[in-house]
Structures are given as structure tokens and as C-alpha cells.
Amino acid sequence: MSNLVEQRVPLKFCVSNKISSAEALKMLTLAYGDSTVLKTQAYEWYKKLKEGRTVVDDLPRSGRPSTSVTDETIEKFQKIVHENRRVSIREIAADIGVSFGSVQSRFQNRSMKSVLKIGRSVGICVLLAMEITLKGIK
């Protein structure tokens, strides 16, 4: 259960026990500290639950599912980078079969924004080092 969904359960409890939304937010802040949901989110969910919503999980959404961020493409991405640290983003995108932007955002999601400005090859080397370090920590 994600942290956001986890915090909706106490809100549901507060609604059913007629505890005010302001008091419910104070309780969430005491319990979750810095990771508390935003005030507006808490109030929106309080309102939804008060109006009769019973499900605290996110409802399924329509739309096209993401095809670029799957376990398979991430494995391919990591394999390519491990085999050749000097591979370009365009080459990775062509090999995996996803867009240039999808591969680039993969680097950016790894806090690579400043490294991408320096150069793609350097960025890939740093990404490889980061992944090796993260695997060692886990």
C-alpha cells in the first residue's frame, strides 16, 4: 500500500467518527511527519469520503498504458548500458524500440540532469556507477 493510500484510511476513520477535517490533518501530521499528504489532498479526500466514497484506493483510469517503462525495457536498458558505457541515447532508443525522450527521461529520473548537459557518454558512465552503488546498498 502506498503512503498516500495508507493515509486515506485514517481519514476514513475520522470521517466515520465525525472528527473535523482540520483535526484529521493534525493527526496525519503527527503520525506521518514530513511525508504527510498535502493539505489540499487531505481536504479533498476528506470531502470525498464524507460524500460517501468507501474505496480508499485509486480508481482505474482510462488511457493508453505506458509501454516504455516495463520490466523488460528496463532490463534491456541496463544490459545495453552495462555492455557499452559509451553508447548514445539514440542507440539505446533504437535497440530497445522506444522513443529518444523515454530513454532520456530514464536518465533524468536518476538525477542525471546536470550530467546530460556535460555529455551523453559521461552521463552513461555516471549512471552505471550509480546503479552499481545502489545494488551494493540494497
Side-chain angles (χ1 to χ4, degrees):
M1 183 181 312
S2 78
N3 193 25
L4 296 176
V5 175
E6 183 180 311
Q7 292 182 44
R8 294 174 193 161
V9 175
L11 282 174
K12 186 176 180 180
F13 173 81
C14 291
V15 168
S16 64
N17 287 300
K18 296 181 176 33
I19 298 171
S20 72
S21 57
E23 195 63 35
L25 182 61
K26 286 180 187 175
M27 294 166 96
L28 283 176
T29 306
L30 282 173
Y32 293 96
D34 290 337
S35 61
T36 305
V37 295
L38 297 173
K39 181 180 178 180
T40 53
Q41 282 183 317
Y43 286 148
E44 285 174 15
W45 271 98
Y46 187 91
K47 182 180 175 187
K48 289 177 186 179
L49 293 166
K50 193 172 184 177
E51 291 171 349
R53 182 167 174 169
T54 56
V55 179
V56 293
D57 293 322
D58 289 327
L59 298 175
R61 298 178 188 170
S62 63
R64 185 174 179 207
S66 175
T67 56
S68 62
V69 184
T70 63
D71 292 337
E72 182 183 340
T73 57
I74 291 171
E75 285 176 26
K76 287 179 183 177
F77 173 86
Q78 290 174 341
K79 183 180 177 188
I80 291 169
V81 172
H82 285 278
E83 287 175 358
N84 180 6
R85 297 182 314 198
R86 295 180 176 244
V87 67
S88 71
I89 292 176
R90 281 194 204 292
E91 291 171 328
I92 295 172
D95 289 347
I96 296 175
V98 297
S99 70
F100 178 90
S102 295
V103 176
Q104 190 175 29
S105 68
R106 174 83 176 134
F107 283 109
Q108 289 173 339
N109 289 342
R110 293 286 201 172
S111 301
M112 299 299 294
K113 291 178 184 176
S114 61
V115 175
L116 281 174
K117 290 177 187 173
I118 297 169
R120 292 186 182 109
S121 297
V122 174
I124 293 171
C125 293
V126 173
L127 178 66
L128 181 61
M130 286 174 62
E131 287 186 1
I132 291 169
T133 304
L134 290 174
K135 285 181 182 178
I137 292 172
K138 290 180 183 178

